Amino acid sequence: MSNTCYVYAIVPASEVGVPPEGLDGHPVTLEREGTLAAVISALPGEEYEPGNIEARTADIDWLGPRAAAHDRIVTWASDHGPAVPLPMFSLYRGAEGVRAMLRDRRHELARALERAARGREFALRVYRDDDALRAALPDLRPEFAERLRAIEAASPGQRYLLQRKLDRDIADALRDAAREIASDLFERLKGFAVDALREPPPKRAGDPAQVPLALNAYFLVAPERYDAFRAELTALIERFATRGFRFDFTGPWPAYHFVGPHHDGE
Amino acid sequence: MANEIGPLDDDDELAFSDLLNRVLDRGLVISGQVIISVADIDLVYVDLQLLVSAMETIVRRNASA
């Protein structure tokens, strides 16, 4: 008989709220040990036996609602206080297995909770719109405007070579300008965050219109700084949205990216 | 709660694969290793990397359908 326990998150043992329904509508409870508690669902039956999970992971219709339920519980926990999210399918054998984990890992988990207590995370993607950026470029780099005028005045043979060279230089300049602006955006917003990280573009198909990603960043922001952080972002969006950048901003999320041991506070 | 996922438009697809990336691939990994499931061990750990690549394949298939 299976007595699998699914752990969504780790929270302080003092948490007393009533969680919403978990995976498949199963009740969510807290399993406490010392100063820590695991937010869990007991999953009876065979569905979550590891072999069965691996067999189901190719089924997006199976995975999707469960991913949403996992995020719902972690978000509930984060709304109540510090919460360390665990990845989906962190499964233990029975409540005793969960308590043993809380006991054995108490120092590591307590540190992770301290990291999670610093704030919530915001995600920012900034996409390059090369057409708009190209249109803004003569303003940013006046020498391009001059070269364009020189090309118009040149003989047809020269014009072709000059135009090709200009196109190459413009492509480089677009990339450099986007890189500089992305770094500038990141540094400015980081000033309002307790922690921040940049990541390479996420691997996936179907980026809208294949728009190149200039910045993929996460910011851990303390609640008392939310307003200041959003105000700064709004100002930056107003400034750059007309200059070839599109912004995609979400949050506050649970601190999914900032609970690992590499994110000890500055 | 919605138990079915209809055809996804670009924004939905983006938000959905972001969610999957977060809940599958982020957060604190307590075990740190892949542990093969046998009846008498405490922790069962599914290989999340396998899961993430399986998910990408599905999302791609979904997006091109």
Side-chain angles (χ1 to χ4, degrees):
Chain A
M1 184 193 128
S2 165
N3 60 343
T4 305
C5 274
Y6 184 109
V7 180
Y8 302 90
I10 307 295
V11 297
S14 55
E15 170 62 53
V16 290
V18 180
E21 286 182 346
L23 252 65
D24 307 327
H26 284 297
V28 177
T29 57
L30 269 66
E31 194 63 44
R32 294 183 174 81
E33 177 73 35
T35 60
L36 299 169
V39 184
I40 67 161
S41 284
L43 301 174
E46 305 296 318
E47 186 169 16
Y48 291 91
E49 289 296 297
N52 293 340
I53 290 177
E54 278 167 19
R56 305 296 302 263
T57 53
D59 182 357
I60 200 89
D61 294 334
W62 185 86
L63 193 58
R66 286 157 181 84
H70 183 97
D71 182 62
R72 185 170 66 238
I73 300 302
V74 175
T75 299
W76 168 85
S78 298
D79 286 345
H80 280 233
V84 176
L86 266 53
M88 273 187 95
F89 306 118
S90 295
L91 300 170
Y92 291 79
R93 293 286 175 196
E96 179 44 46
V98 175
R99 284 196 301 275
M101 175 271 287
L102 291 175
R103 210 162 40 236
D104 295 347
R105 305 294 185 118
R106 60 188 179 280
H107 299 301
E108 177 191 346
L109 293 172
R111 280 195 299 276
L113 260 181
E114 283 170 21
R115 290 190 289 271
R118 296 177 298 162
R120 300 280 292 269
E121 90 180 30
F122 291 84
L124 177 67
R125 297 235 170 90
V126 182
Y127 297 93
R128 258 164 59 192
D129 175 351
D130 278 352
D131 289 341
L133 200 55
R134 191 174 288 115
L137 201 61
D139 286 339
L140 290 171
R141 307 273 161 96
E143 73 268 21
F144 287 118
E146 279 170 37
R147 284 172 60 182
L148 269 172
R149 280 194 295 276
I151 289 173
E152 281 161 22
S155 70
Q158 271 183 319
R159 191 177 296 167
Y160 173 76
L161 294 172
L162 288 172
Q163 184 69 50
R164 275 192 51 163
K165 171 114 176 57
L166 181 63
D167 289 345
R168 263 203 315 274
D169 291 350
I170 284 178
D172 288 347
L174 288 179
R175 212 183 40 241
D176 291 349
R179 196 178 292 152
E180 271 170 39
I181 291 169
S183 294
D184 187 37
L185 287 171
F186 180 74
E187 291 301 325
R188 280 167 193 269
L189 288 168
K190 196 179 168 186
F192 293 82
V194 283
D195 206 346
L197 66 95
R198 294 179 71 163
E199 281 198 341
K203 287 177 288 176
R204 69 156 157 258
D207 268 355
Q210 310 297 318
V211 181
L213 194 59
L215 180 66
N216 183 33
Y218 299 89
F219 301 90
L220 189 71
V221 182
E224 63 272 18
R225 300 279 273 165
Y226 286 179
D227 287 345
F229 180 79
R230 288 187 179 120
E232 175 71 6
L233 180 65
T234 306
L236 291 170
I237 291 174
E238 279 169 8
R239 199 166 124 211
F240 288 105
T242 54
R243 291 163 66 178
F245 293 94
R246 194 166 66 67
F247 291 75
D248 176 16
F249 173 65
T250 57
W253 292 88
Y256 283 112
H257 288 80
F258 295 98
V259 292
H262 303 305
H263 292 286
D264 270 319
E266 294 168 343
Chain B
M1 189 184 83
N3 267 322
E4 47 189 276
I5 298 163
L8 302 174
D9 68 24
D10 274 354
D11 283 350
D12 285 348
E13 190 273 323
L14 217 71
F16 183 60
S17 57
D18 273 353
L19 173 66
L20 287 179
N21 275 325
R22 273 197 181 84
V23 298
L24 290 171
D25 205 21
R26 296 289 177 263
L28 187 70
V29 177
I30 293 185
S31 75
Q33 305 90 31
V34 176
I35 297 176
I36 304 303
S37 158
V38 284
D40 58 348
I41 62 161
D42 282 345
L43 175 63
V44 177
Y45 185 81
V46 179
D47 187 338
L48 293 173
Q49 286 307 314
L50 277 179
L51 215 55
V52 170
S53 33
M55 179 270 289
E56 280 161 11
T57 313
I58 301 155
V59 170
R60 202 169 301 128
R61 201 186 304 145
N62 234 28
S64 61

